[in-house]
Amino acid sequence: MGLLSAALIDKEIPSKIKDDYFTPSFRCLKQLLFIISDIIDFSQTQFDEIKLDLSTFDLRSALSELLDLLDFQLSAKGIKLIVNLKSGLPAFLRTDRNRLSSVLLNLLNNAIKYSSKGAITITIEQDFQFSDHIL
């Protein structure tokens, strides 16, 4: 992770190479760290020690980063991804961003894995209202 971080700030490396190769690799590495963290968390659930890392974040930005991770897989299989954000969703959520990303990534990876053509649609809507948008 350190080498990728260094490459991303290196001014001698062209921006196109950073955008096309290093940035997606860095995002994938971050997601891998989340998965490892999830495995550790799973072991902690057996001892009732799981803790949420609550933060407030922009839902659309988080989705965009997540979908960037899936771009290569979708393109390779010729599958279109349709994201349907229902009206009324708050712009910012307060939840454990890493856990939410892991769940969505797992669902979308499975959808891609078991799809051979066509499109995958993900719809995000608000079922109920919490006063401070904790999901």
Side-chain angles (χ1 to χ4, degrees):
M1 194 158 181
L3 288 175
L4 278 174
S5 297
L8 286 170
I9 61 172
D10 188 333
K11 295 187 187 304
E12 293 182 19
I13 299 174
S15 293
K16 178 148 177 55
I17 290 176
K18 290 179 190 179
D19 292 343
D20 290 349
Y21 299 103
F22 294 143
T23 300
S25 297
F26 187 76
R27 287 185 182 143
C28 286
L29 184 56
K30 279 177 43 179
Q31 196 60 42
L32 180 60
L33 290 174
F34 296 147
I35 291 169
I36 292 169
S37 177
D38 282 348
I39 292 168
I40 293 168
D41 289 345
F42 177 74
S43 67
Q44 289 176 337
T45 59
Q46 295 178 2
F47 300 104
D48 294 326
E49 294 179 6
I50 195 161
K51 293 179 181 78
L52 295 177
D53 182 20
L54 295 178
S55 65
T56 302
F57 61 93
D58 179 6
L59 174 62
R60 284 150 187 84
S61 174
L63 282 172
S64 177
E65 287 177 19
L66 187 63
L67 299 177
D68 285 346
L69 292 174
L70 301 169
D71 235 9
F72 179 77
Q73 290 173 278
L74 291 164
S75 295
K77 290 187 91 174
I79 298 171
K80 182 179 178 183
L81 181 63
I82 301 165
V83 178
N84 183 8
L85 299 176
K86 294 289 187 172
S87 64
L89 279 175
F92 290 87
L93 292 180
R94 181 162 173 73
T95 189
D96 189 321
R97 180 180 180 160
N98 294 338
R99 290 190 200 289
L100 179 61
S101 294
S102 293
V103 168
L104 290 173
L105 185 64
N106 187 38
L107 290 170
L108 289 168
N109 272 326
N110 283 336
I112 294 167
K113 182 196 293 190
Y114 296 109
S115 299
S116 57
K117 61 182 175 179
I120 297 168
T121 302
I122 180 170
T123 300
I124 300 176
E125 62 184 323
Q126 184 173 344
D127 251 0
F128 47 88
Q129 176 78 33
F130 286 115
S131 61
D132 56 359
H133 304 295
I134 295 177
L135 179 63

